[in-house]
Amino acid sequence: MGTEGPRQSQGNLAPRRVPEAYVRAEVACFPLTSLQAFRDALTELVPSLEGHDAGPTRALWRDCEKTLSEHASGWSLDRLIAVRDVFWFDSRRHIRGQRDPPRRVSMASYLVHLADTHLERRPGVTVVAQDTEAGAVDAVTHYRWLTFALPEDLLMSAVPVEPPPTRVDIEPPLLMRHLLDRGVTEVHHHVNAGMDFPLLWTSLLSAIADPSLDARLLSGPGLVFGEGGTMLRWLLAAAVSRCVLAEVILRGGKRPLLEFVAGLRESSVWLPQRRRVLERTLEALSRARLEVLPEVDELRELYGDLHPLAARGGAEAPETLDDVWRRCDPIALRMGLHTPNAGERWLVRYGLRWMRRMEEAGTPDPHFERLFWQVQRVRCLSYRTYVQRPLTAGLQWFIRFYDRLGAMKRPLHAVRAEISYAVAGGDQPIAALEVRTRLMDTSIQMAEELWGLTRSWQRVLARVGRATSDGRQPEFGLVLHLLKARDPKRHWREGLPPAHAQGTYAEPVPEGLIRLGGRYADYFVSQSTRVEALVDLLRAVPLSLWLVRGLDVASDELSVPTWVLAPLYRYVRWEAARAAVRPAARGAPPLQLTGHVGEDYRHLMEGLRRIYECLHYLLDHRGGRLGHATSLGVEPGTWAESVGAVMMPAEERLWDLVFEWRLYGGYRLPPGLSVDTPPGRPPQVENLIRELSEGIFGRCIAPHVLAEAHHVLHNLWCPPLAQEGAGVGLDAFSRASRRLDWVRVRDSRRVQELIEAYREDERVFRRGQQLVDIPLDAAEVAALRAAQDALRRYVGARGTVVEVNPSSNLLIGNLLDLRNHPILRLFPPRAEAGAPPPVPIAVGADDPITFSTFLLREYALLHEAARSAGYSEREVHAWLSTIRQTSMDARFTTPWHPSAERMTEDLLDALGAFTRRPSGHLGARAPR
């Protein structure tokens, strides 16, 4: 299939510019974060770029120039060079006459200068440094992009002040005080990505020693070291080297590193073979020589000798957050440190001090320096492995980063609620925490998950007590989510997607086999198993409804259509309502509904259609929440100019047009949803529908037949169209159309034939996967504006709250600048004449580790976005105060009675009885 209509002139397109702050950050941190610097084991930068000693600097700049010139649209090489000179060579000082240009810049001087440029010299809690030529908002923006590029704690440890800062406040203090005094709630937080990087790194230092860790679990597309086995080996080498560096520092630098290692020959503890493995490890890392690096088993045995607690793996996993800090990092364990991130901060601080002292004494230790910086590069490259890299939009990119967390977060499993609460508030008490986790395959697994999170929350209550703003105990709840997926063999998650959606759940007859039930049957059956597990648990332990507060769907938005999820939502909602009226539920409140939707789309109309489907077919008639829903706020004209044209599967384009046709004709729309029809658009849409339907189904189909089919697909299990409740599972899915009361369906014969062909005919599927090229002309933009305005009015009228996650939206939506964030259109700080009514907004952090953020920082970023967009401080303050209150009002959590401690104990007892665990009261040890 070809294009639709005439193509728009390319000269009318507005180019997308890469943010200046992104380019500055990438150039600034290149000596620490690039593979080239790792391969050359760079220890100094030579400003002249001349001579033999400048070889690594020349190679580094060549690599930096190539990398950034290809991605920094609009940047000249002169601009890149200027940024390099400022951050690599500290050009500002010698240009201003403060000192002569340096002939060499050590890596230590470079890092201190990088930290000094961005952070004030303040102990404890510091703030972003504000250059006289840059405003406060610009300074925060530059710093925020820098924290996407390398770990924030590395910068803090390098600030030349004693004691070094442990926190950077970019949050306006008056705003933060206002939020915390009145109570702030986290409404969108994925508990399995709820840690920050220092916690993940500390966990990693323990996880990699576990003999049960399979290196293949680290594999995935786009890994910086190529594949999982290689990455694991470098991580183990860095972990071993950290221990050696710490010992050299602890012994006062009486012997250089090589002499210290050689001295181990005199020790009876170090067997010759183990010592040779250590020497090879240090040599390999200090020179980045993979061919010298020992194999995984040798490295793991060596590290196990240095960090025996980690080698025991899950047998002695940490049970409290304090245990994580104290036991997972071998340096913290060796030094008896127990404060957050103390081991890493100690190594960087004292490592820099030791190198400076040796240099001042005229006896530098190049081997120590090389090893120290290689360890830091492995850590920085790990950071960029787990924190999402900017400038690539869509959930497929996000999934790659999220999936990499799995093996490295194992030691944190028992303390996830503690971690989430501490991270969400930036160690400040918040009023409520709502976390999300996936459904499990069995009810026992589901109960174990709930039991573990409740046990961890019990420790939060013991620590926090009634420290919230109003003296109440913090609230806690879970939202369980279905996970969308593209294919059963995980080709898409592994970055190897077959062409034309072959082998996906969408294919009716994959690989020539018969799939009972047609499209998405296998996916529906797998999710039915998990839904049944949840329902079985709610029936057996109705009290758990005080903990399980909502149902969600997440992950790969474009992979599964809404009609497949509708019966699963309805089944869980119905069974939860039945469980809630049982005496054992103690009057539990109703289960709430939300959904990740409208965040990932090829055509903006596709995002709007999925939002409509979620509102009308998944959520209750009023209320509920929408996760992200950025397509509601993206300005259609700007989006169209930026994108120019869209390629998408023909069948998805057809359903978008059918949705648009339904809007114009009011076809089976809910009350309150109406649209101002653009002149001349309806006949254009009808013609496109007839053309596309003929290409997909082999015959021209009238728009009203397709509209009825679209409606019926989403109501296959729902009265009054369905004659009886069919439950879930393969039989319910495959026989759904047979249970319909076809008398209630308009043009029933043709609709039935159409639905059967769509669900079961492989030829229809293949024709539907052909790509159409859609120029985004004025008619498309007018249609988008009409549909978006109608949906925004409808969302506002029904009281549905949109969950906004600024950092997540910035990266997944590739917004480039927070001033482009849809929230400024959905709920502007100042009412705009002629605009649709504002949409209620709640704020969450989504995945703190993946987006390098936390809840209070998300409020600060919205403050930055609104201020830089020209709104006054008073307007922004009032705006964020309203968002805070909406977040509180829309939360799914509820106070536990008679007290949070009592409910926690009762939940542990009830869930423990179901899983046959012993008492879970604080002090009792959970079985292993």
Side-chain angles (χ1 to χ4, degrees), residues 215-216 218-220 222-233 290:
R216 290 174 295 183
L218 278 66
S219 296
L223 282 178
V224 67
F225 288 118
E227 52 91 24
T230 302
M231 182 171 182
L232 180 58
R233 290 165 69 193
L290 182 61

Side-chain angles (χ1 to χ4, degrees), residues 220 248 306 322 351 476 608 750 829:
V248 171
L306 299 172
D322 288 341
F476 183 60
L608 296 173
R750 286 194 289 177

